[in-house]
Amino acid sequence: MSYVKEAFDKVKLRDPEQPEFHQAVWEVLETLEPVFESHPEFKDAKILERLTEPERIITFRVPWVDDKGQVQVNRGMRVEFNSAIGPYKGGLRFHPSVNLGIIKFLGFEQILKNALTTRPIGGGKGGSDFDPKGKSDMEVMRFCQSFMNELFRHIGANVDVPAGDIGVGGREIGYMFGQYKKLTRKWEGVLTGKGYGWGGSLIRPEATGYGQVYFLREMLASKGDSIEGKKCAISGSGNVAQYCAKKVLSYGGKVITMSDSGGYIFDKDGIDEDKLAWIMDLKNNRRGRIKEYVSEYTGAVYHEGKRPWGENCDIALPSATQNEIEEKGAKNLVKNGCLAISEGANMPTSPAAYGILSKAGILFGPAKAANAGGVAVSALEMSQNAAFDEWTSEKVDSKLDKIMTGIHQQCSDAAEEYNQKGDLVVGANIAGFIKVANAMMSQGVV
Ligand code: NDP
């Protein structure tokens, strides 16, 4: 049996109830076979067994009191996965579906993604099964404070630096940062995604979506094509989706769909800047549902309980959640002549769907490369905090653009070096893995 298969079987045996983690691990391991042929020393050092086992997992009780005076109890967790190239870095997700397998899949992806950014950051992820939807601001604040009452002892500006993810935006980061400061008496860059004016970096809210589109631009440019005039189907209407849409518009693309967990809207005339501003206000301030869009813009149609991949589009930008493009969606995308996919969400394409898309030769930007812009700017926020400095948005955006262009180049080069020219999935996995594996080799068995 091959080394990668052996290592994967051990992962499954150890935690059989974590399907998302198995999926994320296998998607990487199955592409690494050629690396072990040229680097047998990685096998002797049991790099895969070590890479797939988190350095530390913390789980804890999060009790809080709701507006009716009732006690509520959630579970909090932080997976400190790998610190070979820097302090643990990765977001916190607040969503009822959160469990250890999901946080481990996200943390594992984060290790290689962070390596691709070329910044000195390790991989981690955390979260809770708390659902911020429908909660008052005060309930969210009490939850965040209770969450931080335990998390604070495990994190620090040079130890572990969480950020946002699904259900965790500027509001939640603010409440958690406030509590961290109160408990430790330290003002330090312990969380990223902070508000502008109190340590937050300009362009951090935009970074993941902008970066996703910069990566798309590079993929298309490698084929002599561009975003201008392309019909783009976007899923999600949260942080990533909003800024993905904004950047697509700035390159002259046409945004035809957005969604939330209730369904998606299709606007044949395109979601322009004004309509996008309306959606951003709906989602970020009024905290409403995407279906309300069709009452405001009556030419649009709402599809309850569906995903947008059946629409005729040139480009698909999945920006909501894991496994949101399944076999049927992939077949529709191929049938309708989709040219390229750039993943904003983490692991949004199921393995079966990816098989269909890759067979059809669709340009494919995998999440760990295409959505690395968020964590890259988080690392820039850490640099600014450490130096008590603040950079202009032009400076941050231009660094982000360079980083994303560089990531595309690294993925292309690694794919070519390992005889799989143009396969950015293989390229991203190999380029990220080699960097982490080399660092682990240098640091001994720890
Ligand atoms: P938000 O919470 O801001 O938005 C999430 C969006 O996805 C919402 O529209 C939400 O709808 C929708 N969504 C969530 N779960 C589901 C589901 N099960 N089915 C359908 N739609 C769903 O999160 P982000 O925009 O920050 O994150 C989106 C994705 O991007 C995630 O996969 C995240 O891991 C990834 N990502 C985020 C980064 C960041 O910087 N924020 C960085 C890198 C990756 P609803 O409101 O109805 O729940």
Side-chain angles (χ1 to χ4, degrees):
M1 196 193 293
S2 77
Y3 172 49
V4 299
K5 186 75 181 53
E6 223 175 86
F8 180 59
D9 284 348
K10 284 185 202 158
V11 168
K12 280 204 298 191
L13 201 63
R14 185 169 276 163
D15 293 301
E17 75 298 354
Q18 298 178 350
E20 292 87 358
F21 180 52
H22 302 162
Q23 183 183 334
V25 168
W26 183 243
E27 281 180 23
V28 172
L29 264 52
E30 69 171 339
T31 64
L32 295 182
E33 206 84 65
V35 177
F36 292 96
E37 281 160 25
S38 42
H39 290 280
E41 71 279 13
F42 290 162
K43 179 181 172 190
D44 298 336
K46 296 248 184 334
I47 289 291
L48 285 184
E49 288 86 338
R50 286 155 61 193
L51 189 71
T52 52
E53 183 62 25
E55 290 176 14
R56 192 172 302 104
I57 296 177
I58 301 133
T59 62
F60 50 95
R61 180 175 67 208
V62 189
W64 56 283
V65 179
D66 69 18
D67 285 348
K68 296 192 189 100
Q70 303 288 316
V71 175
Q72 303 288 342
V73 181
N74 287 98
R75 177 175 290 172
M77 60 189 77
R78 183 76 182 161
V79 175
E80 297 184 334
F81 222 123
N82 191 296
S83 60
I85 60 175
Y88 310 106
K89 180 93 198 83
L92 296 169
R93 175 176 291 191
F94 292 169
H95 193 271
S97 65
V98 161
N99 59 42
L100 189 55
I102 288 185
I103 297 300
K104 279 176 67 183
F105 117 61
L106 291 162
F108 181 75
E109 284 275 296
Q110 198 81 46
I111 304 169
L112 303 186
K113 178 188 316 196
N114 292 4
L116 289 173
T117 67
T118 68
R119 307 287 122 174
I121 40 178
K125 199 84 188 188
S128 172
D129 56 3
F130 172 74
D131 187 359
K133 241 182 268 150
K135 304 287 189 304
S136 70
D137 277 354
M138 287 301 100
E139 288 177 322
V140 170
M141 182 183 79
R142 288 194 292 273
F143 172 81
C144 288
Q145 290 176 338
S146 179
F147 186 83
M148 191 49 81
N149 284 344
E150 175 58 34
L151 189 68
F152 86 97
R153 55 186 111 247
H154 308 287
I155 60 176
N158 296 312
V159 180
D160 182 354
V161 186
D165 191 81
I166 291 178
V168 179
R171 173 181 63 169
E172 291 76 14
I173 294 288
Y175 293 146
M176 287 190 276
F177 184 74
Q179 190 69 358
Y180 178 86
K181 200 160 51 68
K182 183 173 174 78
L183 291 165
T184 60
R185 298 191 304 138
K186 273 191 215 153
W187 196 111
E188 59 173 10
V190 67
L191 291 160
T192 56
K194 299 185 290 299
Y196 181 61
W198 48 277
S201 175
L202 288 167
I203 305 295
R204 176 58 188 91
E206 292 87 345
T208 307
Y210 278 17
Q212 176 189 5
V213 179
Y214 293 148
F215 196 90
L216 170 70
R217 180 197 65 202
E218 292 303 302
M219 285 199 297
L220 291 170
S222 74
K223 301 284 174 199
D225 207 344
S226 76
I227 296 169
E228 194 170 357
K230 299 285 189 301
K231 272 189 286 179
C232 299
I234 298 178
S235 64
S237 50
N239 173 263
V240 177
Q242 291 171 13
Y243 290 103
C244 169
K246 200 164 177 149
K247 193 46 92 178
V248 163
L249 293 176
S250 80
Y251 280 122
K254 181 174 176 183
V255 176
I256 55 168
T257 68
M258 289 183 83
S259 72
D260 61 22
S261 54
Y264 79 92
I265 48 140
F266 170 70
D267 188 334
K268 65 175 177 356
D269 301 324
I271 299 167
D272 60 16
E273 286 279 356
D274 289 344
K275 294 172 178 174
L276 179 60
W278 187 91
I279 290 177
M280 289 174 74
D281 183 52
L282 172 79
K283 286 290 168 183
N284 304 345
N285 303 322
R286 290 180 280 137
R287 299 194 184 269
R289 310 301 300 155
I290 199 72
K291 69 175 171 200
E292 294 168 46
Y293 182 90
V294 297
S295 315
E296 183 73 14
Y297 301 104
T298 47
V301 187
Y302 175 65
H303 297 273
E304 176 92 30
K306 294 218 165 97
R307 293 181 166 140
W309 317 124
E311 297 297 344
N312 194 327
C313 65
D314 303 310
I315 288 164
L317 296 151
S319 311
T321 193
Q322 63 268 12
N323 291 325
E324 54 171 314
I325 304 184
E326 294 180 303
E327 256 179 282
K328 189 171 161 221
K331 282 184 186 153
N332 280 332
L333 288 169
V334 172
K335 189 179 77 194
N336 289 328
C338 176
L339 305 167
I341 295 177
S342 181
E343 294 186 324
N346 282 308
M347 207 167 75
T349 311
S350 77
Y354 176 66
I356 293 164
L357 299 166
S358 115
K359 199 162 153 223
I362 293 181
L363 284 174
F364 193 88
K368 64 175 74 63
N371 75 19
V375 75
V377 173
S378 275
L380 301 180
E381 183 172 326
M382 289 163 71
S383 301
Q384 292 170 75
N385 290 166
F388 283 88
D389 198 1
E390 194 181 286
W391 302 342
T392 62
S393 44
E394 291 74 23
K395 178 168 173 173
V396 180
D397 197 13
S398 117
K399 281 179 181 285
L400 169 64
D401 195 337
K402 276 204 194 89
I403 290 171
M404 295 311 298
T405 306
I407 292 176
H408 179 265
Q409 193 63 48
Q410 281 182 70
C411 297
S412 304
D413 291 349
E416 194 162 352
E417 189 184 336
Y418 283 86
N419 299 320
Q420 308 211 40
K421 192 165 182 230
D423 190 331
L424 299 176
V425 172
V426 169
N429 289 340
I430 292 182
F433 172 76
I434 288 183
K435 186 165 177 206
V436 177
N438 281 335
M440 290 173 74
M441 292 296 288
S442 305
Q443 292 170 24
V445 180
V446 290

